[in-house]
Amino acid sequence: MMIRKLALILIPLSFNFSQNHQKTVLKDDIQEYLFSTQLILHDFVRIEDELFNHKEGSRINKSLESLTKMLLKSKGDFHRLSLRKYNNQEKKLISTIDSYAEKLKNAINHLKLISMKKNKSSSYFSVEISEDKIKLIELRKLFLDERQRLNDLLNEFILTNIPAAAQ
């Protein structure tokens, strides 16, 4: 009876230990690419809030353009400077980060379109605003779904370079 209880306790513990032991340390260059997209996401959320709280639009347009450029630069820099060989697990993660970044870029571009419409026309009607907001919500859902996939994949890695702003 005592052996059975001990086995019931030790088997799950050994399973957890073996799972944690199988994690690999995520390479610094992949972490930097990942965290740069997270920082851009934080800026996107801040700018979105400003736009819908009637802040100055021209500054918002410039900020959104800058976010798009930073996202593309981050992705381009990573792929251009990445000379390492990655294992299949890392390649899958990189592909997911790329997909996440692309979906985030689409949401940023749509937010920029909304901002431009608000700046150009005082007759930006509530029906059109509603349609644009619905589209933005759909785009946001796409990159949040991709973010969840990314988080699931990240559970297989040990992160060592976690900046405070990306948490």
Side-chain angles (χ1 to χ4, degrees):
M1 184 77 155
M2 177 79 104
I3 295 173
R4 191 180 277 168
K5 284 183 182 179
L6 190 56
L8 289 174
I9 292 170
L10 291 179
I11 290 173
L13 285 176
S14 66
F15 181 73
N16 274 343
F17 178 76
S18 68
Q19 277 188 326
N20 288 339
H21 191 66
Q22 292 174 351
K23 289 185 176 185
T24 27
V25 175
L26 189 58
K27 292 181 176 83
D28 287 345
D29 55 342
I30 299 173
Q31 287 185 64
E32 288 175 21
Y33 178 37
L34 171 67
F35 294 133
S36 69
T37 60
Q38 292 306 100
L39 292 172
I40 292 168
L41 171 65
H42 287 283
D43 288 344
F44 168 77
V45 170
R46 179 186 51 79
I47 293 169
E48 181 183 33
D49 183 55
E50 288 177 12
L51 177 66
F52 291 116
N53 288 321
H54 308 292
K55 302 289 182 186
E56 182 185 329
S58 62
R59 187 179 60 80
I60 289 174
N61 284 345
K62 289 177 185 172
S63 297
L64 289 167
E65 184 65 34
S66 176
L67 283 184
T68 303
K69 287 178 182 175
M70 287 186 331
L71 197 58
L72 293 173
K73 182 180 180 330
S74 175
K75 182 178 180 179
D77 287 351
F78 172 76
H79 287 286
R80 185 177 60 256
L81 299 174
S82 179
L83 301 175
R84 295 184 182 195
K85 299 286 184 196
Y86 297 107
N87 64 36
N88 288 337
Q89 185 182 25
E90 291 167 329
K91 287 177 184 176
K92 184 175 179 182
L93 180 66
I94 292 166
S95 174
T96 304
I97 297 170
D98 287 346
S99 178
Y100 171 71
E102 184 63 30
K103 287 174 175 55
L104 178 57
K105 182 183 74 126
N106 292 341
I108 292 169
N109 286 337
H110 189 71
L111 189 61
K112 183 178 171 192
L113 177 70
I114 292 171
S115 177
M116 288 171 34
K117 285 181 180 179
K118 283 181 79 172
N119 286 339
K120 284 186 179 179
S121 174
S122 58
S123 62
Y124 186 43
F125 298 107
S126 61
V127 173
E128 194 175 4
I129 291 171
S130 294
E131 290 172 356
D132 284 338
K133 281 185 179 180
I134 289 169
K135 175 72 174 173
L136 184 61
I137 290 168
E138 291 169 358
L139 291 169
R140 178 184 276 267
K141 183 181 177 340
L142 289 174
F143 79 75
L144 290 175
D145 288 347
E146 197 67 27
R147 182 178 174 186
Q148 183 58 50
R149 282 188 49 219
L150 182 59
N151 287 336
D152 292 345
L153 286 173
L154 284 172
N155 285 330
E156 300 172 15
F157 294 93
I158 298 170
L159 303 177
T160 59
N161 260 350
I162 304 174
Q167 293 178 348

